[in-house]
Amino acid sequence: MEFVKGQLFEPENDLPGGAYATHTDSLENKHDEQQENPQSQNSELFEQKVSDVNQFNISRTYDQSHHLPALETMKTEAASNGSDECNRNDSSPAVNLLAANECNAQQVNSWKIDRGVLIPLPHGRETDKAAYAHVIKEGNAEILFPKKNEVFYNPVQEFNRDLTCAVISQFSKLNYDTQCMASLVDDHAVFAPGVRLESGVTIFEGLSASGLRSIRFALEIPGIKTVLCNDMSYDAVENIKQNITHNRVENIVQPSQSDAAAYMYSYASKREAEKFDVIDLDPYGSPAIFLDAAVQAIKNGGLLCVTCTDTAVLCGNGAETCFAKYGGMSLRAKFCHEMALRLLLNSLESHANHYSRYIVPLVSISADFYIRVFVRVYTSAKDVKNSAR
């Protein structure tokens, strides 16, 4: 038995009692079919099941704070009703109904939600997670990783992702408050995580891998319009698409397969309003090749988040390489980690100055094997001259 979005659920021999599901265009026709079938239960039992279905409303147990249905509550209620049926009570004209002739709560060992519809999975049938080697939960996101080692994931940088969510949340709140003061926000707009805000911020993550960071943005940061989740790898983008669907953030997160630098350069010539509010760069190694494009693709006053994992170069092991990448010589000293941060900030400032822009550092940290900076990028030919002082 296969559960496919928006399609009829056909009966199969391996299900007890021939459980099936279909659209409820006409409950009376279904009742007539039951009466004509000598092997079916009597009409009174079927009418009782239909009554149970009509009384079972999934929307009552929908947890809006986490944007996931309360499965256990539904399962308990269904068991107390002596039925596995449920329907979706919303504005959609097509209401999905799960009707089982002889399938009861004891014959169900797991549950699946498909677009708000509760679907019981019978014994012996694995969920979609079984096709993946790992299922990782971080923050409010749940990420599926393929069995083959095709997509990169670094658990050590969970603190990095937590910090990024906190900083962007404050930036988004500041942006929202500014728009409210200017009366640019719709009266019915909802400023909450997981809810798309048309006047909200746009975020570009250039090197997404599994899409974990972008999905966490969508689920944990309020006031987001769009998160563009980009990676150059075909396998990574396919995994991103699966994770977006799995976490149900299709209305906010958009997958993209492209070279990050080339994609950001394509935004350099766009109007100011079309550029990104936030750009997040967390590469494996040096971000040097992305900095020039990033300072051009971001809005005036936008937030640029950059990670460097090549701290050996920035901390004195390879001064010539450091000069080639960041425009400064690194030294072996006790203050090497602070020096690494200053080298990265100077490189960002230098790239921004080429385009009459300058940076204002907000947060700069050195942790574990990487450094991370959060800066705002502004445009002002006059203030750029202060960079020479």
Side-chain angles (χ1 to χ4, degrees), residues 42-341:
N42 57 52
S43 60
E44 296 179 355
L45 178 60
F46 180 77
E47 289 176 354
Q48 179 61 39
K49 287 184 177 291
V50 172
S51 176
D52 292 341
V53 170
N54 294 332
Q55 295 175 4
F56 192 93
N57 185 356
I58 285 183
S59 61
R60 290 179 297 154
T61 56
Y62 190 84
D63 185 0
Q64 294 184 351
S65 63
H66 294 86
H67 304 277
L68 290 174
L71 296 179
E72 292 302 324
T73 304
M74 295 182 194
K75 187 174 180 179
T76 303
E77 185 170 356
S80 64
N81 291 338
S83 172
D84 292 332
E85 299 92 30
C86 62
N87 75 308
R88 182 181 182 183
N89 185 14
D90 57 12
S91 59
S92 174
V95 181
N96 291 325
L97 173 67
L98 181 68
N101 291 344
E102 298 178 0
C103 184
N104 53 48
Q106 286 72 29
Q107 295 170 323
V108 175
N109 68 339
S110 60
W111 297 74
K112 177 181 178 181
I113 289 294
D114 190 11
R115 304 296 176 185
V117 181
L118 183 64
I119 302 173
L121 299 177
H123 284 292
R125 186 171 296 280
E126 299 293 333
T127 62
D128 293 340
K129 296 180 184 179
Y132 298 88
H134 304 287
V135 179
I136 295 176
K137 294 182 179 180
E138 184 180 299
N140 291 343
E142 186 177 75
I143 303 299
L144 308 176
F145 285 90
K147 292 184 177 181
K148 295 181 180 179
N149 190 18
E150 299 170 340
V151 180
F152 179 76
Y153 169 71
N154 191 346
V156 178
Q157 294 220 30
E158 181 176 355
F159 170 72
N160 184 338
R161 293 183 283 270
D162 291 341
L163 178 63
T164 303
C165 288
V167 174
I168 299 180
S169 293
Q170 291 301 313
F171 176 81
S172 178
K173 185 178 185 303
L174 179 63
N175 178 75
Y176 180 75
D177 292 342
T178 302
Q179 291 187 343
C180 287
M181 294 178 62
S183 300
L184 299 177
V185 180
D186 187 88
D187 294 337
H188 303 287
V190 178
F191 184 75
V195 180
R196 178 185 170 90
L197 183 66
E198 285 299 326
S199 60
V201 299
T202 56
I203 304 175
F204 175 73
E205 185 190 4
L207 307 110
S208 301
S210 64
L212 169 59
R213 190 180 298 250
S214 292
I215 292 172
R216 287 194 60 181
F217 291 166
L219 294 175
E220 299 176 27
I221 299 176
I224 292 181
K225 179 181 180 181
T226 303
V227 180
L228 190 60
C229 188
N230 179 78
D231 202 281
M232 195 172 182
S233 167
Y234 171 82
D235 293 329
V237 174
E238 289 301 309
N239 188 230
I240 288 171
K241 293 177 181 178
Q242 294 166 347
N243 287 323
I244 290 174
T245 303
H246 181 70
N247 288 272
R248 304 194 178 281
V249 290
E250 301 96 324
N251 62 324
I252 298 177
V253 184
Q254 299 177 3
S256 170
Q257 183 182 358
S258 179
D259 176 82
Y263 196 91
M264 288 187 289
Y265 274 127
S266 69
Y267 274 74
S269 59
K270 290 183 179 292
R271 295 185 299 110
E272 187 68 22
E274 297 177 351
K275 295 185 178 182
F276 297 110
D277 294 287
V278 180
I279 294 180
D280 190 314
L281 298 174
D282 187 5
Y284 182 78
S286 173
I289 60 175
F290 305 108
L291 301 184
D292 187 73
V295 296
Q296 298 182 69
I298 200 166
K299 287 182 181 178
N300 182 27
L303 179 65
L304 179 58
C305 319
V306 182
T307 300
C308 293
T309 59
D310 59 335
T311 50
V313 172
L314 287 164
C315 292
N317 293 332
E320 296 84 357
T321 303
C322 184
F323 182 82
K325 291 183 176 181
Y326 301 100
M329 299 287 288
S330 59
L331 303 174
R332 293 185 181 182
K334 293 182 179 180
F335 51 82
C336 62
H337 295 96
E338 179 184 348
M339 178 184 59
L341 290 169

